[in-house]
Amino acid sequence: MQTFLTAAALVQTGPLSAGMVPASIPSPDWSGFDIPLPWGSLRIHAYALCILAGIVVGLWLTSVRWARRGAPEGSVWDIAIWAIPFGIIGGRLYHVFSSPDAYFGPGFDGTGDLSLIPQIQRGGLGIWGAVVLGAFGAWIGCRRAGVKLTAFIDAAAPGLLLAQALGRWGNYFNQELFGGPTTLPWGLQVDADNANFPAGYPADTLFHPTFLYESLWNIAGVLILLALDRRFHFRRGRLFWLYAMYYTLGRVWIEAMRIDDAEQINLFGITTRLNVWTSIFVFIAALALFIWLGRRKDGNPDSVYLPGREPAPAVSAEAGVPASVKADGGKPAAAGTAVSASGPESTKGSGSASIVTGNPVRDTDPVVSDSESRDNLPDNQNGSGLASAQTEAVPASTGGTTTAAESRNAGKSGGTDTGTAPEADSSR
């Protein structure tokens, strides 16, 4: 707090005297390390480590969101193996052609150094080239995995923004892509002997840390995208185009603050950096696509699978019977049994549909129902009630059946005991 107050007082009192530097972001004193090898050493640049950290964290967030969408397990890595190399190549090509002087010379006069093009450890990856060519690589991976590209880029949009937030710190370690002079307490120190230090400025000049501005802007964007997606469940690539709108909105004002060399483009009487114009046009295109996709109807926007590439329905491993054709207890129906759609019994009435899985055994003895026996009894006051009681008293477990003739004889006897229903005497 004391440092901050001192810096604020220095800003209010006017220009800084020589040797006095306010609170600021110090220049990095480390930009990588060397790995000794038998034939020399391998230089690991901090810039590359920041890019790698961004890729890892971005893939982690993407894999979590992709799994929640019901995507095939491991498919995010099958897609990433195509998208990442294409994205790095595309990002480098965009940077080379948007800042061509170092590679082709001013005005493409041939005085540049073409050997610098593959040296990405020096910095220089254009986001728009990375997104365009990276999306092409992702399309290849999605086709091979049988999933929709639009579903994948929706899942990847917050992760992509998070990867950019971490990757931007590589510019800090390379001491590049900073803004104009500033006296703010968070001004960035740049080594005066660094090749990127702009000519004509005092050695103690502080610069706007545009890498930090963009990193914070991107982190805030990650939180915003996640919150909006949870609320509105964007599909068909709409969350990706929302990401494009958000990023370009911040990139316009951040890019306008930078003072490093860049290709200048004159349009509509305005001359500004190529990346500013690119951001404006991408924002307009993303807005139009976002609106158009919102009005477009899709048969199944929640499915991540390409048509015809959906997984097959689950089939029971027990006897190869589909899970829907099961007997009670979740076991496959045994041969010779009937599975009723309205209950476990196989002897349902005509109103219940049943599936017979074997050849059922039929009873050869004719069974006369209780209602049929009653219909055949004479309609008289003395015997009808008794015969009916006798018929109902015959248990099904006696092993035999009651014939129609026996029922009629019982009715004619007017209550004679047949020996099959001992309860008949008490009922009289």
Side-chain angles (χ1 to χ4, degrees), residues 144-220:
R144 293 170 64 90
V147 295
K148 299 175 182 176
L149 175 63
T150 53
F152 179 77
I153 60 178
D154 276 342
L160 180 59
L161 204 53
L162 183 59
Q164 292 175 241
L166 293 182
R168 269 303 175 197
W169 282 84
N171 300 137
Y172 167 70
F173 290 103
N174 278 0
Q175 301 192 55
E176 61 183 359
L177 307 185
F178 42 82
T182 182
T183 56
L184 292 171
W186 54 83
L188 175 66
Q189 297 180 27
V190 178
D191 294 334
D193 58 352
N194 189 282
N196 295 320
F197 192 92
Y201 290 95
D204 59 354
T205 302
L206 301 179
F207 301 93
H208 279 287
T210 52
F211 79 91
L212 179 61
Y213 298 160
E214 185 171 330
S215 181
L216 295 175
W217 176 266
N218 291 346
I219 291 174

Coordinates of all heavy atoms in Angstrom, one line a residue, residues 144-220:
R144 N -13.6 -37.6 -38.3 CA -13.1 -38.9 -38.0 C -13.7 -39.5 -36.7 O -13.9 -40.7 -36.6 CB -11.6 -38.9 -37.8 CG -10.8 -38.5 -39.1 CD -9.4 -38.2 -38.8 NE -8.7 -39.4 -38.3 CZ -8.0 -40.3 -39.0 NH1 -8.0 -40.2 -40.3 NH2 -7.4 -41.3 -38.4
A145 N -14.1 -38.6 -35.8 CA -14.7 -39.1 -34.6 C -16.3 -39.2 -34.7 O -16.9 -39.7 -33.8 CB -14.4 -38.1 -33.4
G146 N -16.8 -38.7 -35.8 CA -18.3 -38.8 -36.0 C -19.1 -37.9 -35.2 O -20.2 -38.1 -34.8
V147 N -18.5 -36.7 -34.9 CA -19.2 -35.7 -34.1 C -19.3 -34.4 -34.9 O -18.6 -34.2 -35.9 CB -18.5 -35.4 -32.7 CG1 -18.6 -36.7 -31.9 CG2 -17.1 -35.0 -32.9
K148 N -20.2 -33.5 -34.4 CA -20.4 -32.2 -35.1 C -19.3 -31.2 -34.8 O -19.0 -31.0 -33.6 CB -21.8 -31.6 -34.8 CG -23.0 -32.5 -35.1 CD -24.2 -31.9 -34.6 CE -25.5 -32.7 -34.9 NZ -26.7 -32.1 -34.3
L149 N -18.8 -30.5 -35.8 CA -17.9 -29.4 -35.5 C -18.5 -28.3 -34.7 O -17.9 -27.7 -33.8 CB -17.3 -28.9 -36.8 CG -16.4 -27.6 -36.7 CD1 -15.1 -28.0 -35.9 CD2 -16.1 -27.1 -38.1
T150 N -19.8 -28.0 -35.0 CA -20.5 -26.9 -34.3 C -20.6 -27.2 -32.8 O -20.4 -26.3 -31.9 CB -21.8 -26.6 -34.9 OG1 -22.6 -27.9 -34.9 CG2 -21.7 -26.0 -36.3
A151 N -20.9 -28.5 -32.5 CA -21.0 -28.9 -31.0 C -19.6 -28.8 -30.4 O -19.5 -28.3 -29.2 CB -21.5 -30.3 -30.9
F152 N -18.5 -29.1 -31.1 CA -17.2 -29.1 -30.5 C -16.8 -27.6 -30.2 O -16.2 -27.3 -29.2 CB -16.2 -29.8 -31.3 CG -14.8 -29.8 -30.8 CD1 -14.5 -30.6 -29.7 CD2 -13.9 -28.9 -31.3 CE1 -13.2 -30.6 -29.2 CE2 -12.6 -28.9 -30.8 CZ -12.2 -29.7 -29.7
I153 N -16.9 -26.8 -31.2 CA -16.5 -25.4 -31.0 C -17.3 -24.7 -29.9 O -16.7 -23.7 -29.3 CB -16.5 -24.6 -32.3 CG1 -17.8 -24.5 -32.9 CG2 -15.5 -25.2 -33.3 CD1 -17.9 -23.7 -34.2
D154 N -18.5 -25.0 -29.7 CA -19.3 -24.5 -28.6 C -18.7 -24.9 -27.3 O -18.5 -24.1 -26.3 CB -20.7 -24.9 -28.7 CG -21.6 -24.1 -29.6 OD1 -21.2 -22.9 -29.8 OD2 -22.7 -24.5 -30.0
A155 N -18.3 -26.2 -27.2 CA -17.7 -26.7 -26.0 C -16.3 -26.1 -25.8 O -15.9 -25.9 -24.6 CB -17.6 -28.2 -26.0
A156 N -15.6 -25.8 -26.8 CA -14.2 -25.3 -26.8 C -14.1 -23.8 -26.6 O -13.0 -23.4 -26.2 CB -13.4 -25.8 -28.0
A157 N -15.1 -23.0 -26.8 CA -15.0 -21.6 -26.8 C -14.4 -21.0 -25.5 O -13.5 -20.2 -25.5 CB -16.3 -20.9 -27.2
P158 N -15.0 -21.4 -24.3 CA -14.4 -20.8 -23.1 C -12.9 -21.3 -22.9 O -12.1 -20.6 -22.4 CB -15.3 -21.4 -22.0 CG -16.6 -21.7 -22.7 CD -16.2 -22.1 -24.0
G159 N -12.7 -22.6 -23.2 CA -11.3 -23.1 -23.1 C -10.3 -22.4 -24.0 O -9.2 -22.1 -23.7
L160 N -10.8 -22.0 -25.2 CA -9.9 -21.3 -26.1 C -9.6 -19.9 -25.6 O -8.4 -19.5 -25.7 CB -10.6 -21.1 -27.5 CG -9.9 -20.4 -28.6 CD1 -8.6 -21.0 -28.9 CD2 -10.8 -20.3 -29.9
L161 N -10.5 -19.2 -25.0 CA -10.3 -17.9 -24.4 C -9.3 -18.0 -23.2 O -8.5 -17.2 -23.0 CB -11.6 -17.3 -24.0 CG -11.7 -15.8 -23.9 CD1 -11.2 -15.1 -25.2 CD2 -13.1 -15.3 -23.5
L162 N -9.5 -19.1 -22.4 CA -8.6 -19.3 -21.3 C -7.2 -19.6 -21.7 O -6.2 -19.1 -21.1 CB -9.1 -20.5 -20.4 CG -8.3 -20.8 -19.2 CD1 -8.3 -19.6 -18.2 CD2 -8.9 -22.0 -18.5
A163 N -7.0 -20.4 -22.8 CA -5.7 -20.6 -23.4 C -5.0 -19.3 -23.9 O -3.8 -19.1 -23.6 CB -5.8 -21.6 -24.5
Q164 N -5.8 -18.4 -24.4 CA -5.3 -17.1 -24.9 C -4.8 -16.3 -23.7 O -3.8 -15.6 -23.8 CB -6.3 -16.4 -25.7 CG -6.6 -17.0 -27.1 CD -7.7 -16.3 -27.8 OE1 -8.8 -16.9 -28.1 NE2 -7.5 -15.0 -28.0
A165 N -5.6 -16.4 -22.6 CA -5.2 -15.6 -21.4 C -3.9 -16.0 -20.9 O -3.1 -15.1 -20.5 CB -6.3 -15.8 -20.3
L166 N -3.6 -17.3 -20.8 CA -2.3 -17.7 -20.3 C -1.2 -17.5 -21.4 O 0.0 -17.2 -21.1 CB -2.3 -19.2 -19.9 CG -3.2 -19.5 -18.7 CD1 -3.2 -21.0 -18.4 CD2 -2.8 -18.7 -17.5
G167 N -1.5 -17.8 -22.6 CA -0.5 -17.6 -23.7 C 0.0 -16.2 -23.8 O 1.2 -16.0 -24.2
R168 N -0.8 -15.2 -23.5 CA -0.4 -13.8 -23.6 C 0.8 -13.5 -22.7 O 1.5 -12.5 -23.0 CB -1.6 -12.9 -23.3 CG -2.4 -12.5 -24.5 CD -1.6 -11.8 -25.6 NE -2.3 -11.6 -26.8 CZ -1.8 -11.3 -27.9 NH1 -0.5 -11.3 -28.1 NH2 -2.5 -11.0 -29.0
W169 N 1.0 -14.2 -21.6 CA 2.1 -14.0 -20.8 C 3.4 -14.3 -21.4 O 4.5 -13.8 -21.0 CB 2.0 -14.7 -19.4 CG 1.0 -14.1 -18.5 CD1 -0.4 -14.2 -18.5 CD2 1.3 -13.1 -17.5 NE1 -1.0 -13.4 -17.6 CE2 0.0 -12.8 -16.9 CE3 2.5 -12.6 -17.0 CZ2 0.0 -11.8 -15.9 CZ3 2.4 -11.7 -16.0 CH2 1.2 -11.3 -15.4
G170 N 3.4 -15.0 -22.5 CA 4.6 -15.2 -23.3 C 5.2 -13.9 -23.8 O 6.4 -13.7 -24.0
N171 N 4.3 -13.0 -24.1 CA 4.7 -11.7 -24.6 C 5.5 -10.9 -23.5 O 6.4 -10.1 -23.8 CB 3.5 -10.8 -25.1 CG 2.8 -11.5 -26.2 OD1 1.5 -11.5 -26.3 ND2 3.5 -12.1 -27.2
Y172 N 5.1 -11.1 -22.3 CA 5.8 -10.5 -21.2 C 7.2 -10.9 -21.1 O 8.2 -10.1 -21.0 CB 5.1 -10.7 -19.9 CG 5.8 -10.4 -18.7 CD1 6.1 -9.0 -18.3 CD2 6.4 -11.4 -17.8 CE1 6.8 -8.7 -17.2 CE2 7.1 -11.0 -16.7 CZ 7.3 -9.7 -16.4 OH 8.1 -9.4 -15.3
F173 N 7.4 -12.3 -21.2 CA 8.8 -12.8 -21.1 C 9.6 -12.4 -22.3 O 10.9 -12.3 -22.2 CB 8.7 -14.3 -20.9 CG 8.2 -14.7 -19.5 CD1 6.9 -15.2 -19.4 CD2 9.0 -14.6 -18.4 CE1 6.4 -15.6 -18.1 CE2 8.5 -15.0 -17.1 CZ 7.3 -15.5 -17.0
N174 N 9.0 -12.2 -23.4 CA 9.8 -11.8 -24.6 C 9.9 -10.3 -24.7 O 10.5 -9.7 -25.6 CB 9.0 -12.3 -25.9 CG 9.4 -13.7 -26.2 OD1 10.2 -14.4 -25.5 ND2 8.8 -14.2 -27.3
Q175 N 9.2 -9.5 -23.7 CA 9.3 -8.1 -23.7 C 8.8 -7.5 -25.1 O 9.6 -6.8 -25.7 CB 10.6 -7.5 -23.3 CG 11.1 -8.0 -21.9 CD 12.3 -7.3 -21.4 OE1 12.3 -6.0 -21.4 NE2 13.4 -8.0 -21.1
E176 N 7.6 -7.9 -25.5 CA 7.1 -7.5 -26.8 C 5.6 -7.1 -26.7 O 5.0 -7.4 -25.7 CB 7.3 -8.6 -27.8 CG 6.6 -9.9 -27.4 CD 6.8 -11.0 -28.4 OE1 7.6 -10.8 -29.4 OE2 6.3 -12.1 -28.1
L177 N 5.1 -6.5 -27.7 CA 3.7 -6.2 -27.9 C 3.1 -5.4 -26.8 O 2.0 -5.6 -26.3 CB 2.9 -7.5 -28.1 CG 3.4 -8.4 -29.2 CD1 2.4 -9.6 -29.4 CD2 3.6 -7.7 -30.5
F178 N 3.9 -4.4 -26.3 CA 3.4 -3.5 -25.2 C 2.8 -2.2 -25.9 O 3.0 -2.0 -27.1 CB 4.5 -3.1 -24.3 CG 5.8 -2.8 -24.9 CD1 6.1 -1.6 -25.5 CD2 6.8 -3.8 -25.0 CE1 7.3 -1.3 -26.1 CE2 8.0 -3.6 -25.6 CZ 8.3 -2.3 -26.1
G179 N 2.2 -1.4 -25.0 CA 1.5 -0.2 -25.5 C 2.4 1.0 -25.4 O 3.6 0.9 -25.2
G180 N 1.8 2.2 -25.5 CA 2.5 3.4 -25.5 C 3.0 3.8 -24.1 O 2.7 3.1 -23.1
P181 N 3.7 4.9 -23.9 CA 4.2 5.3 -22.6 C 3.1 5.6 -21.7 O 2.0 6.0 -22.0 CB 5.0 6.5 -22.9 CG 5.3 6.5 -24.4 CD 4.1 5.8 -25.0
T182 N 3.3 5.4 -20.4 CA 2.3 5.6 -19.3 C 3.0 5.9 -18.0 O 4.2 5.5 -17.8 CB 1.4 4.5 -19.1 OG1 0.4 4.8 -18.1 CG2 2.1 3.2 -18.7
T183 N 2.4 6.7 -17.1 CA 2.9 6.9 -15.8 C 2.0 6.2 -14.7 O 2.2 6.5 -13.6 CB 2.9 8.4 -15.5 OG1 1.6 8.9 -15.7 CG2 3.9 9.1 -16.4
L184 N 1.2 5.3 -15.2 CA 0.3 4.5 -14.2 C 1.2 3.6 -13.4 O 2.2 3.2 -13.8 CB -0.7 3.7 -15.0 CG -1.8 4.6 -15.8 CD1 -2.6 3.7 -16.7 CD2 -2.7 5.3 -14.8
P185 N 0.7 3.3 -12.2 CA 1.5 2.4 -11.3 C 1.8 1.1 -11.8 O 2.7 0.4 -11.3 CB 0.7 2.4 -10.0 CG -0.3 3.5 -10.1 CD -0.5 3.8 -11.5
W186 N 0.9 0.6 -12.7 CA 1.1 -0.7 -13.3 C 1.8 -0.7 -14.7 O 1.8 -1.6 -15.5 CB -0.2 -1.5 -13.4 CG -1.2 -0.7 -14.2 CD1 -1.4 -0.6 -15.6 CD2 -2.3 0.1 -13.7 NE1 -2.4 0.1 -15.9 CE2 -3.0 0.6 -14.8 CE3 -2.7 0.4 -12.4 CZ2 -4.1 1.4 -14.6 CZ3 -3.8 1.2 -12.2 CH2 -4.5 1.7 -13.3
G187 N 2.5 0.4 -14.9 CA 3.3 0.5 -16.1 C 4.4 -0.6 -16.2 O 4.9 -1.1 -15.2
L188 N 4.7 -0.9 -17.4 CA 5.6 -2.1 -17.7 C 7.0 -1.5 -17.9 O 7.2 -0.7 -18.8 CB 5.1 -2.9 -18.9 CG 6.0 -4.0 -19.3 CD1 6.1 -5.1 -18.3 CD2 5.5 -4.6 -20.7
Q189 N 8.0 -2.1 -17.2 CA 9.4 -1.8 -17.5 C 9.9 -2.7 -18.7 O 9.6 -3.9 -18.7 CB 10.3 -2.0 -16.3 CG 10.0 -1.2 -15.1 CD 10.9 -1.5 -13.9 OE1 12.0 -2.0 -14.1 NE2 10.4 -1.2 -12.7
V190 N 10.6 -2.1 -19.6 CA 11.3 -2.9 -20.7 C 12.7 -2.5 -20.7 O 13.1 -1.4 -20.5 CB 10.6 -2.5 -22.0 CG1 11.3 -3.2 -23.2 CG2 9.1 -2.8 -22.0
D191 N 13.6 -3.5 -20.8 CA 15.0 -3.3 -20.8 C 15.4 -2.4 -21.9 O 15.0 -2.7 -23.1 CB 15.8 -4.7 -20.8 CG 15.6 -5.5 -19.6 OD1 15.3 -4.9 -18.5 OD2 15.7 -6.7 -19.7
A192 N 16.2 -1.4 -21.6 CA 16.6 -0.5 -22.7 C 17.4 -1.1 -23.8 O 17.4 -0.6 -24.9 CB 17.3 0.7 -22.1
D193 N 18.2 -2.2 -23.4 CA 19.0 -2.8 -24.4 C 18.3 -3.9 -25.2 O 18.9 -4.7 -26.0 CB 20.2 -3.4 -23.7 CG 19.9 -4.4 -22.6 OD1 18.7 -4.5 -22.3 OD2 20.9 -5.0 -22.1
N194 N 17.0 -4.1 -24.9 CA 16.2 -5.1 -25.6 C 15.9 -4.6 -27.0 O 15.7 -3.4 -27.3 CB 14.9 -5.4 -24.9 CG 14.1 -6.5 -25.4 OD1 13.4 -6.4 -26.4 ND2 14.2 -7.7 -24.7
A195 N 15.9 -5.5 -28.0 CA 15.7 -5.2 -29.4 C 14.3 -4.6 -29.6 O 14.1 -3.8 -30.6 CB 15.8 -6.4 -30.3
N196 N 13.3 -4.9 -28.7 CA 12.0 -4.3 -28.9 C 11.8 -3.0 -28.2 O 10.7 -2.4 -28.3 CB 11.0 -5.3 -28.3 CG 10.9 -6.7 -29.0 OD1 11.0 -6.7 -30.2 ND2 10.9 -7.8 -28.3
F197 N 12.8 -2.5 -27.5 CA 12.6 -1.1 -26.9 C 12.5 -0.1 -28.0 O 13.4 0.0 -28.8 CB 13.8 -0.8 -26.0 CG 13.5 0.3 -25.1 CD1 13.0 0.2 -23.8 CD2 13.9 1.6 -25.5 CE1 12.8 1.3 -23.0 CE2 13.7 2.7 -24.7 CZ 13.1 2.6 -23.4
P198 N 11.4 0.7 -28.0 CA 11.3 1.7 -29.1 C 12.3 2.8 -29.0 O 12.7 3.3 -27.9 CB 9.9 2.2 -28.9 CG 9.6 2.0 -27.4 CD 10.3 0.7 -27.0
A199 N 12.8 3.2 -30.2 CA 13.8 4.3 -30.2 C 13.1 5.6 -29.9 O 11.9 5.9 -30.1 CB 14.3 4.3 -31.6
G200 N 13.9 6.5 -29.3 CA 13.5 7.8 -29.0 C 12.9 8.0 -27.6 O 12.4 9.1 -27.3
Y201 N 12.9 6.9 -26.8 CA 12.3 7.1 -25.4 C 13.4 6.9 -24.4 O 14.4 6.2 -24.6 CB 11.3 6.0 -25.2 CG 10.0 6.1 -26.0 CD1 9.8 5.5 -27.2 CD2 8.9 7.0 -25.5 CE1 8.6 5.6 -28.0 CE2 7.8 7.1 -26.3 CZ 7.6 6.5 -27.5 OH 6.5 6.6 -28.2
P202 N 13.3 7.6 -23.3 CA 14.2 7.5 -22.2 C 14.2 6.1 -21.6 O 13.3 5.3 -21.7 CB 13.7 8.5 -21.1 CG 12.9 9.4 -21.8 CD 12.3 8.7 -23.0
A203 N 15.4 5.7 -21.1 CA 15.5 4.3 -20.6 C 14.6 3.9 -19.5 O 14.3 2.7 -19.3 CB 17.0 4.0 -20.2
D204 N 14.1 4.9 -18.7 CA 13.2 4.5 -17.6 C 11.7 4.7 -18.0 O 10.9 4.7 -17.1 CB 13.5 5.4 -16.4 CG 13.4 6.9 -16.7 OD1 13.2 7.2 -17.9 OD2 13.5 7.7 -15.8
T205 N 11.4 4.8 -19.2 CA 10.0 4.9 -19.7 C 9.2 3.7 -19.4 O 9.7 2.5 -19.6 CB 10.0 5.2 -21.2 OG1 10.7 6.4 -21.5 CG2 8.5 5.4 -21.6
L206 N 8.0 3.9 -18.9 CA 7.1 2.8 -18.6 C 6.1 2.7 -19.8 O 5.7 3.7 -20.3 CB 6.4 2.9 -17.3 CG 7.3 3.0 -16.0 CD1 6.4 3.2 -14.8 CD2 8.2 1.8 -15.9
F207 N 5.6 1.5 -20.0 CA 4.7 1.3 -21.2 C 3.5 0.6 -20.7 O 3.5 -0.2 -19.7 CB 5.4 0.5 -22.3 CG 6.6 1.2 -22.8 CD1 7.9 0.9 -22.3 CD2 6.5 2.1 -23.9 CE1 9.0 1.5 -22.8 CE2 7.7 2.7 -24.4 CZ 8.9 2.4 -23.8
H208 N 2.4 0.7 -21.4 CA 1.1 0.0 -21.1 C 1.3 -1.5 -21.3 O 1.8 -1.9 -22.3 CB 0.0 0.5 -22.0 CG -0.7 1.8 -21.6 ND1 -1.5 1.8 -20.5 CD2 -0.6 3.0 -22.1 CE1 -1.9 3.1 -20.3 NE2 -1.4 3.8 -21.3
P209 N 1.0 -2.3 -20.2 CA 1.2 -3.7 -20.4 C 0.0 -4.3 -21.1 O -0.9 -4.9 -20.5 CB 1.3 -4.2 -18.9 CG 0.4 -3.2 -18.2 CD 0.6 -1.9 -18.9
T210 N -0.1 -4.2 -22.4 CA -1.2 -4.6 -23.1 C -1.4 -6.2 -23.0 O -2.5 -6.7 -23.2 CB -1.1 -4.2 -24.6 OG1 0.2 -4.6 -25.1 CG2 -1.2 -2.7 -24.8
F211 N -0.3 -6.9 -22.8 CA -0.5 -8.3 -22.6 C -1.3 -8.6 -21.4 O -2.2 -9.5 -21.3 CB 0.9 -9.0 -22.5 CG 1.5 -8.8 -21.1 CD1 1.3 -9.8 -20.1 CD2 2.3 -7.7 -20.8 CE1 1.8 -9.7 -18.8 CE2 2.8 -7.6 -19.5 CZ 2.6 -8.5 -18.5
L212 N -1.1 -7.8 -20.3 CA -1.9 -8.0 -19.1 C -3.4 -7.6 -19.3 O -4.3 -8.2 -18.8 CB -1.3 -7.1 -18.0 CG -2.0 -7.2 -16.6 CD1 -2.0 -8.6 -16.1 CD2 -1.3 -6.2 -15.6
Y213 N -3.6 -6.5 -20.0 CA -5.0 -6.0 -20.3 C -5.7 -7.1 -21.0 O -6.9 -7.5 -20.7 CB -5.0 -4.8 -21.1 CG -4.3 -3.6 -20.5 CD1 -3.9 -2.5 -21.3 CD2 -4.1 -3.5 -19.1 CE1 -3.3 -1.4 -20.7 CE2 -3.5 -2.4 -18.5 CZ -3.1 -1.3 -19.3 OH -2.5 -0.2 -18.8
E214 N -5.1 -7.7 -22.0 CA -5.8 -8.8 -22.8 C -6.0 -10.0 -22.0 O -7.0 -10.7 -22.1 CB -5.0 -9.1 -24.1 CG -5.7 -10.1 -25.0 CD -5.1 -10.2 -26.3 OE1 -4.5 -9.2 -26.8 OE2 -5.2 -11.3 -26.9
S215 N -5.0 -10.4 -21.1 CA -5.1 -11.6 -20.3 C -6.3 -11.4 -19.3 O -7.1 -12.4 -19.2 CB -3.8 -11.8 -19.5 OG -3.9 -13.0 -18.7
L216 N -6.4 -10.3 -18.7 CA -7.5 -10.0 -17.8 C -8.9 -10.0 -18.5 O -9.9 -10.5 -18.0 CB -7.3 -8.8 -17.0 CG -6.1 -8.8 -16.0 CD1 -5.9 -7.4 -15.4 CD2 -6.2 -9.8 -15.0
W217 N -8.9 -9.4 -19.7 CA -10.1 -9.3 -20.5 C -10.6 -10.7 -20.8 O -11.7 -11.1 -20.8 CB -9.8 -8.5 -21.7 CG -11.0 -8.4 -22.7 CD1 -11.2 -9.2 -23.8 CD2 -12.1 -7.5 -22.7 NE1 -12.3 -8.9 -24.5 CE2 -12.9 -7.8 -23.8 CE3 -12.4 -6.5 -21.9 CZ2 -14.0 -7.1 -24.1 CZ3 -13.6 -5.7 -22.2 CH2 -14.4 -6.1 -23.3
N218 N -9.6 -11.6 -21.2 CA -10.0 -13.0 -21.6 C -10.5 -13.8 -20.4 O -11.4 -14.6 -20.5 CB -8.8 -13.7 -22.2 CG -8.4 -13.1 -23.5 OD1 -9.1 -12.3 -24.1 ND2 -7.2 -13.4 -24.0
I219 N -9.9 -13.6 -19.2 CA -10.3 -14.4 -18.1 C -11.7 -14.0 -17.7 O -12.6 -14.8 -17.4 CB -9.4 -14.1 -16.9 CG1 -8.0 -14.8 -17.2 CG2 -10.0 -14.7 -15.6 CD1 -7.0 -14.5 -16.1
A220 N -12.0 -12.6 -17.8 CA -13.4 -12.2 -17.5 C -14.3 -12.8 -18.6 O -15.5 -13.2 -18.2 CB -13.4 -10.7 -17.5

